[in-house]
Amino acid sequence: MTPRPDLYPNSTPDKQFAHDVVRRLVGNGYVAYFAGGCVRDAILGNDPHDFDVATNATTDQVRSVFGSNQTRAVGEAFGVVLVHGKTHGKKCQVEVATFRSDGVYSDGRRPDSVVFTSPEHDAQRRDFTINGLFYDPIEEKIIDYVGGREDLERKVLRAIGNPEARIREDKLRMLRAIRFAARFGFALDPKTQQAIARNAEQIQVVSGERTGVELIKILEHPSRYWAWEKLFETGLTQYVIPELHPRWSVASQRDEELSLLKRLPEIPVPFPVSLAAILHPWFRDASGRQAEWESMSLAIQERWKLSNIEMEAVQFALQNAEVLIQGSTLPWSQVQPVLTSKFIEPALALAEAIASLRTEALHGIDFCRSQLRLPESVWNPRPLLDGSDLIRAGLKPGPGFATLLERARQLQLDGNLRSKEEAMAWMKTMIDTSN
Ligand code: ATP
Ligand code: MG
């Protein structure tokens, strides 16, 4: 228990609110600490994005301290109450959880029951040593029952207690371990890694949706490539993305297959960009075999419960990256429609990675980006012709309609039709020739 008065140098409203919650609980005779991620993040020098409080007060006691207006039950059975309020005009909330030990885990994911216990036991039921720390904001002391501080210093991600047993209890911890190690650039403790490797197959008891949530976080983070290698090393990819796992079984081939993922910029990227990077070699090889590609992407979408929008973004990026790479040389009428898509950003990000992997110039992509910076009326002008013009010229709506409008749009974008008059004259010639 070492004093660390400078643990939270930035007194954010959230921090102050959490501090006030602890003070109120302590003022009412209870023990209360900051717990878990917010202690870990502060020791690492990062601003926590939320604060959790652990206490010996029961949920009823927490609710009577703060009153029903300021509290909401979110997990009564697990002893969790949400306390909300305002600090400096900002809405804040803190999860207040009663110190607990978990009972038996019969479903491989959540304990069947919990018992309310001491801070020490509460630390021990947590997953990793770096997530098992408490901080007493009043005494300004870190309380460490699990060796979390040392592991933070040594940059090691280690299960609390027996890794094998902890992973067998809750299989999701396998993905959490890799996600946290990757996020902080920590090594996986060898025993923890071995336990993951031995139990990898068991990841299948976790719902696809929950697995998907973890994988999305992993893929969004700059450490995505390291994490993907760990997923492979521990045998998890075989179960979380069985469609592609066989392509990665030979090391040299895996390097090649994942080279695009490795090439993505070391910044957070939207998850569809990373997934597109992983799928790219497959997409390229399946070219012309649309049905095969569709059934594979559908299988991944269903397993991870991805939304249609996410999957459309992936598809769009894969289908249009090449056009963007050639953006400055292809006819503008071919490039411009791609820029109007709501998925243009993922497509540009993927295109950049592909071009840089091939050590190709980025002219095309830069050109597209510079167009997008102009007012939209410049790069996406209103069409010179629309359906009502065709009707007025005596055409009946039908299949030829769309083709004619599309052709007019191409000519407009490529600078061959410059005014409404030119467009109308062109249309009349078209109608006359077809008659
Ligand atoms: P993040 O910044 O990603 O939210 P976090 O540490 O707050 O990190 P959470 O998933 O929000 O992570 O969980 C809060 C805390 O609850 C963890 O720090 C850990 O102590 C505990 N915890 C969460 N999930 C598990 C689990 N599956 N098994 C054991 N303990 C867990
Ligand atoms: Mg959290």
Side-chain angles (χ1 to χ4, degrees):
M1 298 196 191
T2 330
R4 281 285 293 261
D6 59 344
L7 198 58
Y8 294 90
N10 300 330
S11 188
T12 60
D14 286 322
K15 151 75 179 31
Q16 275 191 40
F17 182 72
H19 198 140
D20 291 342
V21 167
V22 168
R23 223 190 325 258
R24 286 270 292 278
L25 286 165
V26 171
N28 281 272
Y30 300 109
V31 177
Y33 303 135
F34 291 177
C38 63
V39 184
R40 172 201 70 214
D41 291 346
I43 296 174
L44 289 172
N46 304 327
D47 275 338
H49 60 74
D50 50 21
F51 284 81
D52 294 323
V53 166
T55 179
N56 66 348
T58 62
T59 48
D60 285 346
Q61 289 166 333
V62 174
R63 301 193 80 167
S64 88
V65 169
F66 294 96
S68 53
N69 284 340
Q70 232 199 310
T71 52
R72 189 154 55 87
V74 282
E76 205 92 25
F78 291 94
V80 186
V81 176
L82 207 65
V83 178
H84 49 90
K86 268 190 175 172
T87 302
H88 300 313
K90 180 182 185 280
K91 281 189 183 164
C92 299
Q93 62 176 40
V94 159
E95 251 186 44
V96 179
T98 309
F99 297 131
R100 68 171 197 258
S101 284
D102 294 337
V104 176
Y105 283 71
S106 59
D107 70 353
R109 183 60 262 281
R110 287 180 175 283
D112 301 351
S113 60
V114 305
V115 285
F116 298 114
T117 50
S118 62
E120 185 167 357
H121 285 120
D122 186 74
Q124 279 152 0
R125 61 101 188 156
R126 291 170 186 269
D127 46 8
F128 309 113
T129 61
I130 65 166
N131 288 351
L133 293 159
F134 296 120
Y135 179 68
D136 178 338
I138 295 165
E139 297 291 320
E140 297 182 336
K141 279 179 185 162
I142 292 167
I143 300 158
D144 181 4
Y145 295 107
V146 293
R149 287 197 74 179
E150 194 186 332
D151 284 342
L152 279 174
E153 264 153 43
R154 295 176 42 207
K155 297 180 178 295
V156 176
L157 194 288
R158 184 193 314 276
I160 293 173
N162 177 338
E164 186 78 26
R166 300 310 308 285
I167 279 166
R168 262 191 267 123
E169 277 175 356
D170 174 0
K171 282 42 173 192
L172 184 69
R173 289 177 188 150
M174 295 193 269
L175 292 175
R176 283 176 61 89
I178 291 176
R179 172 162 69 83
F180 282 112
R183 169 165 154 199
F184 300 119
F186 283 15
L188 261 183
D189 153 62
K191 290 210 174 83
T192 304
Q193 176 158 343
Q194 281 157 19
I196 297 174
R198 273 197 295 270
N199 291 281
E201 191 181 350
Q202 293 294 312
I203 196 64
Q204 295 170 105
V205 309
V206 177
S207 76
E209 188 168 8
R210 198 61 195 77
T211 302
V213 168
E214 288 297 318
L215 293 174
I216 287 173
K217 288 187 188 170
I218 284 174
L219 288 174
E220 281 174 344
H221 197 269
S223 60
R224 56 189 80 84
Y225 180 73
W226 183 91
W228 211 259
E229 284 283 293
K230 278 287 163 206
L231 289 174
F232 183 83
E233 257 175 57
T234 51
L236 282 164
T237 50
Q238 190 174 341
Y239 304 105
V240 299
I241 184 164
E243 295 77 14
L244 288 186
H245 177 83
R247 299 178 66 101
W248 301 328
S249 52
V250 179
S252 57
Q253 194 186 340
R254 184 166 78 253
D255 277 356
E256 163 83 25
E257 290 273 322
L258 294 177
S259 51
L260 208 49
L261 188 69
K262 195 174 184 177
R263 247 334 140 112
L264 290 181
E266 287 195 11
I267 52 169
V269 299
F271 139 81
V273 179
S274 306
L275 183 55
I278 290 174
L279 296 180
H280 183 262
W282 207 94
F283 175 80
R284 194 191 48 207
D285 296 352
S287 132
R289 298 197 303 274
Q290 187 62 16
E292 192 180 322
W293 161 255
E294 271 168 19
S295 80
M296 215 261 326
S297 54
L298 195 65
I300 295 176
Q301 177 176 11
E302 285 183 348
R303 181 168 317 96
W304 298 357
K305 298 284 179 289
L306 305 177
S307 69
N308 287 341
I309 293 275
E310 284 167 325
M311 225 44 211
E312 280 168 36
V314 172
Q315 299 259 14
F316 183 85
L318 287 165
Q319 280 159 355
N320 293 288
E322 289 299 335
V323 171
L324 298 172
I325 294 171
Q326 315 298 332
S328 52
T329 47
L330 287 174
W332 178 232
S333 59
Q334 207 177 321
V335 181
Q336 190 270 359
V338 178
L339 304 194
T340 63
S341 163
K342 63 177 170 210
F343 303 124
I344 182 61
E345 282 305 326
L348 283 166
L350 184 72
E352 251 156 20
I354 296 173
S356 79
L357 186 64
R358 294 197 207 125
T359 62
E360 242 170 70
L362 296 177
H363 298 318
I365 298 162
D366 290 344
F367 171 75
C368 294
R369 284 204 191 279
S370 68
Q371 290 295 312
L372 287 169
R373 278 194 294 270
L374 299 173
E376 186 171 348
S377 56
V378 176
W379 61 270
N380 191 20
R382 290 169 66 93
L384 291 172
L385 291 184
D386 61 24
S388 62
D389 295 315
L390 303 197
I391 291 170
R392 253 183 278 122
L395 268 183
K396 289 209 170 58
F401 235 62
T403 322
L404 204 58
L405 287 177
E406 207 175 297
R407 184 75 194 115
R409 181 66 172 161
Q410 281 169 1
L411 291 167
Q412 175 188 358
L413 290 171
D414 290 336
N416 299 319
L417 290 178
R418 292 161 196 277
S419 65
K420 180 99 186 173
E421 292 67 43
E422 276 184 34
M424 293 296 281
W426 170 82
M427 180 178 59
K428 294 218 169 73
T429 348
M430 292 302 286
I431 296 172
D432 291 346
T433 5
S434 71
N435 286 341

